[in-house]
Amino acid sequence: MTMRKFLLLTLLAGWPAAAQTPEELYQDYMTPETRAIMERYEEAERRAQEAEAAARAKKNLALVGSILIGLIPLGVIGRRIIQEKSWKENPSGTAKAIGTGVAGGLVLFGLNYGVFLLKIKMGDAFNTTLAFLIVGALIAGSIYLLRK
């Protein structure tokens, strides 16, 4: 009976030591050099998480901006449809105009989002001015072909 009590007391006394975290157990064996390395690692990990959050924020901003730019053709066509009340006189033409506006908006969205993402990923190596000039030339060519 006394042996059981002794084992039970030994187990109870050792239990809190087993509940220690690995960091607490390593504190006895850590040298200042090891602490410095761990602190540098934690700082690098924190900076990496901040960089990921900043990249996510840039991508979200690019997405929102591209969506707003993509809604411009649909907004212009919708405003003209409402002002001229063309759905009463020409419902099929109005439907075609809305379809064209949606298609044009999707193209503008895709082009702008692609340009913004390339700018984010490539940084200064990507010539933004040239890309926007190409997109502008595509838009001007589309307008010319539609008017013709």
Side-chain angles (χ1 to χ4, degrees):
M1 187 68 161
T2 57
M3 185 61 137
R4 283 187 188 175
K5 287 181 183 177
F6 177 72
L7 287 175
L8 183 61
L9 286 175
T10 306
L11 285 173
L12 288 176
W15 196 322
Q20 289 180 330
T21 63
E23 289 81 16
E24 292 172 348
L25 294 173
Y26 288 136
Q27 290 301 325
D28 296 335
Y29 302 105
M30 284 184 100
T31 63
E33 294 85 15
T34 309
R35 272 196 195 95
I37 291 171
M38 292 297 287
E39 288 172 2
R40 282 197 310 258
Y41 170 75
E42 290 169 358
E43 178 67 23
E45 188 175 319
R46 186 185 59 76
R47 276 187 268 134
Q49 289 173 350
E50 288 174 358
E52 287 175 13
R56 245 188 331 273
K58 284 181 181 181
K59 286 181 182 179
N60 287 340
L61 182 62
L63 181 65
V64 169
S66 297
I67 288 173
L68 290 175
I69 291 170
L71 288 175
I72 291 172
L74 194 59
V76 170
I77 290 172
R79 184 174 49 98
R80 286 188 61 196
I81 288 171
I82 291 172
Q83 285 177 348
E84 298 172 8
K85 298 182 179 163
S86 64
W87 71 87
K88 293 179 182 177
E89 301 160 5
N90 188 4
S92 66
T94 303
K96 289 178 185 177
I98 290 173
T100 303
V102 168
L106 287 174
V107 168
L108 278 176
F109 165 77
L111 289 172
N112 283 304
Y113 192 59
V115 167
F116 291 151
L117 282 184
L118 282 173
K119 183 63 177 170
I120 289 170
K121 288 185 190 267
M122 294 180 67
D124 293 335
F126 182 70
N127 193 347
T128 309
T129 308
L130 178 63
F132 279 117
L133 285 174
I134 291 171
V135 170
L138 286 171
I139 294 169
S142 301
I143 292 171
Y144 174 75
L145 290 174
L146 286 173
R147 299 253 181 212
K148 190 175 176 183

